[in-house]
Amino acid sequence: MKLVVVSAGLSVPSSTRLLADRLAAAVGRTAEVDVQVVELRELAVDIAHHFTNGFPGQALSAALDAVTGADGLVVVTPVFSASYSGLFKSFFDLVEPEALAGKPVLIGATGGTARHSLVLDHALRPLFSYLKAVVVPTGVYAASEDWGAEGLDARIERAAGELAALMSGLSAVPGAAGRRPSADTFEDVVPFEERLAALRPTG
Amino acid sequence: MQFGIFSVGDVTPDPTTGRTPTERERIKAMVAIALKAEEVGLDVFATGEHHNPPFVPSSPTTMLGYIAAQTEKLVLSTSTTLITTNDPVKIAEDFAMLQHLADGRVDLMMGRGNTGPVYPWFGQDIREGINLAIENYALLRRLWREDVVNWEGKFRTPLQGFTSTPRPLDGVAPFVWHGSIRSPEIAEQAAYYGDGFFHNNIFWPADHTKRMIELYRSRYAHYGHGTAEQAIVGLGGQVFMRKNSQDAVREFRPYFDVAPVYGHGPSLEDFTDQTPLTVGSPEQVIEKTLKFREYAGDYQRQLFLLDHAGLPLKTVLEQLDLLGEEVVPVLRKEFAVNRPADVPEAPTHASLLAAAQNEAAQNEAAKNEAAKNEEVVA
């Protein structure tokens, strides 16, 4: 199974990336996954250009393909001004509508203090609900103090276990991928007669 | 193969002088550009249709009729005609009228438009964009092909005993292209009717254009209009030329950097690398344009966008000179090389009329044959 990790951390090294890696490793201990990391920092200029040009550059295009093609996602953002970062939101603004429908997602966030931990449920969860993703019940928030305290490990393990179960469950159902809405409208053309017929007056 | 130009009709300040042309100047400039296109031997002039500033061409058939009166060969077309928000009855009437005035030198390209508020301004719902394009066009075809139309649909007042006048010239409807950048539904629509498909091919990387055209071609064959290679494909393109490529880059960069559509975004170098835009010498334009065939197959119509980003009229006319004298003659020759004999040219009024007459003669012959057989049986 393919696990794609999206990290919106800006510094190098970044605690956002650190949390993302911990989450990915924990998923990997429970399920067999190939992990690919998408660092939004490296795509920041491409993302801005996509908005102004209307099309993605090659690196961004590959990242978007990876995200939409994944069996599960770990997405982690730093908290900026009481919400996810603008870069994080901008990236998901560029994902085609429906492309994440039914996809298991683990949400994570990092911040200076624990005061912002509800960003997970006030900002990230509604965003991914809108995108029709299946967000696992446990989100993981790591404040600076959590890196030196007890409890983070357990939350990571619980969230990763939920994601792994969801990913395995979905992929264990034959044809599950086929039931998801097709992101590729080119390979799924509605015959024109059907479209005409739908407009014909009835009765 | 046809070569021509298409204009968006934007009124944009010249960033090098800060001067904005008046609407009158821009409209007259579009006419001057069309006349120049005929003078330098191009085949097609197409105008956009817009209903908001900073664009002037809200009334394409008025402009095209005026150009028709001053030209003899140029095919007059649109890029695009809004099939979603215009009344299909008015499109049928306007373009049939234009056909008569222009002696058949008319075709048109259907598009949905990309300005959201135009839908409510014209009493339509943008969420129904695709369905409006489907229903309105289905009605438009009938209005041109049937003398008396009884019709009922979802979006427009029903028609009882309606005849669209004038009837199309020689009873032959203008050829229709369908333009779409990213809607497979429209490629499917074009294929269903055996109409042309046009990709503006300007803002998107080539692989995207390729997928849309491949879909159209395969569905064209699916609906039995011919082989996929015989489908009628048109492409846009965007160029700025000077004899010396460095001069072209130097002169165009200030226009590119603040252009309304892609300005303040990518670098000129990135954009020319990733999209069909060419800024350079006529030879470079020739080289890049010939490559379009690698992803679009042998195609029928190539339109260039020249008058945009605030370029002054004088510069645009110089571009047309280069296009007509140095680029298009070479493209005509090179595109003809290895072009299979069964790939058709873009339909014209003359070719559509000949096809209609041919079909009528065959039907007549078949009817006579059937009558004779009946006599024998009797």
Side-chain angles (χ1 to χ4, degrees):
Chain A
M1 288 185 297
K2 206 172 141 195
L3 175 68
V4 172
V5 178
V6 178
S7 169
L10 291 179
S11 52
V12 181
S14 108
S15 57
T16 300
R17 175 65 191 269
L18 188 60
L19 177 60
D21 286 345
R22 295 271 304 267
L23 289 165
V27 176
R29 283 194 292 276
T30 317
E32 203 161 303
V33 288
D34 295 323
V35 178
Q36 182 183 344
V37 178
V38 173
E39 272 281 10
L40 297 188
R41 181 183 192 283
E42 293 161 9
L43 299 170
V45 173
D46 269 13
I47 288 168
H49 278 173
H50 188 162
F51 285 110
T52 53
N53 305 0
F55 63 88
Q58 284 175 357
L60 177 55
S61 186
L64 289 167
D65 286 348
V67 165
T68 53
D71 295 299
L73 297 176
V74 169
V75 301
V76 190
T77 176
V79 173
F80 282 11
S81 300
S83 188
Y84 33 64
S85 74
L87 180 62
F88 183 86
K89 177 64 159 54
S90 291
F91 178 74
F92 284 101
D93 283 345
L94 296 173
V95 172
E96 293 284 336
E98 306 284 329
L100 299 190
K103 202 179 292 299
V105 175
L106 193 175
I107 53 177
T110 59
T113 79
R115 284 192 196 103
H116 296 294
S117 59
L118 278 175
V119 152
L120 288 174
D121 294 306
H122 286 166
L124 277 109
R125 200 174 291 277
L127 171 63
F128 288 92
S129 295
Y130 171 77
L131 294 170
K132 301 185 181 69
V134 180
V135 185
V136 301
T138 305
V140 180
Y141 183 89
S144 301
E145 65 197 37
D146 285 315
W147 297 104
E150 286 176 6
L152 184 59
D153 268 353
R155 298 206 299 280
I156 287 172
E157 291 300 328
R158 188 167 66 230
E162 288 167 2
L163 183 69
L166 209 44
M167 286 172 71
S168 315
L170 280 185
S171 59
V173 181
R179 285 209 314 273
R180 287 182 216 166
S182 167
D184 194 346
T185 43
F186 282 82
E187 284 166 14
D188 209 8
V189 182
V190 178
F192 198 75
E193 284 289 3
E194 280 180 33
R195 291 194 178 276
L196 273 177
L199 292 168
R200 259 171 224 136
T202 47
Chain B
M1 188 165 164
Q2 295 174 331
F3 294 90
I5 51 174
F6 66 133
S7 177
V8 178
D10 55 313
V11 178
T12 300
D14 181 333
T16 62
T17 63
R19 189 177 178 282
T20 307
T22 65
E23 288 181 321
R24 179 175 185 276
E25 283 171 336
R26 185 65 174 105
I27 291 164
K28 295 283 187 177
M30 287 178 75
V31 172
I33 287 163
L35 300 186
K36 183 77 175 180
E38 166 146 309
E39 183 199 315
V40 301
L42 300 186
D43 309 307
V44 183
F45 172 81
T47 174
E49 177 188 334
H50 299 273
H51 300 276
N52 55 319
F55 307 101
V56 290
S58 56
S59 178
T61 52
T62 309
M63 172 175 280
L64 295 178
Y66 184 76
I67 294 168
Q70 301 172 70
T71 51
E72 284 174 6
K73 291 183 182 158
L74 199 62
V75 172
L76 305 162
S77 187
T78 56
S79 55
T80 62
T81 292
L82 303 180
I83 188 63
T84 46
T85 47
N86 282 307
D87 183 354
V89 171
K90 200 69 178 88
I91 297 178
E93 293 172 343
D94 283 347
F95 281 86
M97 175 65 104
L98 182 61
Q99 257 194 325
H100 286 276
L101 290 172
D103 301 314
R105 289 184 287 129
V106 174
D107 57 43
L108 64 164
M109 193 199 305
M110 298 300 163
R112 298 207 309 285
N114 56 6
T115 308
V118 171
Y119 285 82
W121 287 335
F122 285 78
Q124 300 295 354
D125 179 348
I126 192 166
R127 292 167 301 181
E128 294 284 5
I130 293 272
N131 284 334
L132 282 161
I134 291 170
E135 178 174 298
N136 285 348
Y137 182 61
L139 172 57
L140 175 60
R141 284 180 64 88
R142 288 190 57 194
L143 291 166
W144 277 334
R145 285 165 174 79
E146 298 170 31
D147 286 340
V148 181
V149 171
N150 298 315
W151 177 90
E152 198 181 324
K154 194 172 167 195
F155 300 112
R156 192 196 184 284
T157 314
L159 295 167
Q160 295 297 335
F162 181 78
T163 299
S164 171
T165 61
R167 302 303 301 142
L169 178 65
D170 303 321
V172 175
F175 184 69
V176 170
W177 301 79
H178 299 263
S180 180
I181 296 176
R182 54 174 293 169
S183 302
E185 298 92 335
I186 299 301
E188 166 76 0
Q189 181 186 33
Y192 176 79
Y193 291 111
D195 292 341
F197 178 73
F198 186 91
H199 196 287
N200 100 345
N201 195 34
I202 280 186
F203 306 121
W204 286 71
D207 62 338
H208 187 88
T209 305
K210 178 172 187 261
R211 294 191 78 195
M212 287 289 283
I213 290 170
E214 278 173 358
L215 173 66
Y216 161 68
R217 285 190 183 278
S218 73
R219 299 299 287 175
Y220 184 93
H222 169 83
Y223 286 116
H225 301 295
T227 65
E229 292 72 28
Q230 290 169 333
I232 309 296
V233 172
L235 288 182
Q238 192 180 13
V239 298
F240 186 86
M241 294 170 279
R242 288 298 178 195
K243 295 249 179 217
N244 180 326
S245 67
Q246 281 93 12
D247 291 342
V249 172
R250 194 179 312 122
E251 186 176 343
F252 189 60
R253 190 185 301 279
Y255 292 93
F256 177 89
D257 284 348
V258 299
V261 179
Y262 40 67
H264 309 287
S267 69
L268 178 59
E269 284 70 17
D270 280 354
F271 206 77
T272 46
D273 192 43
Q274 290 176 25
T275 77
L277 170 67
T278 317
V279 181
S281 64
E283 292 72 29
Q284 286 172 303
V285 169
I286 289 165
E287 197 185 330
K288 191 147 173 181
T289 308
L290 286 172
K291 288 210 177 103
F292 293 175
R293 187 164 50 171
E294 290 171 12
Y295 60 83
D298 286 293
Y299 61 108
Q300 281 73 19
R301 174 174 286 185
Q302 173 64 52
L303 299 184
F304 292 101
L305 177 66
L306 299 178
D307 63 326
H308 63 124
L311 289 167
L313 176 61
K314 178 171 171 292
T315 307
V316 175
L317 297 178
E318 287 163 4
Q319 295 295 305
L320 275 160
D321 275 327
L322 287 168
L323 195 63
E325 284 165 19
E326 301 197 19
V327 174
V328 166
V330 180
L331 289 179
R332 284 193 202 282
K333 212 169 79 199
E334 292 296 325
F335 272 123
V337 174
N338 297 329
R339 189 183 175 98
D342 64 348
V343 169
E345 293 295 322
T348 59
H349 182 74
S351 75
L352 292 171
L353 179 59
Q357 287 169 339
N358 195 18
E359 195 182 333
Q362 277 177 359
N363 289 345
E364 188 66 20
K367 216 192 295 170
N368 290 344
E369 188 70 19
K372 223 189 304 174
N373 288 346
E374 258 172 48
E375 272 169 35
V376 173
V377 173

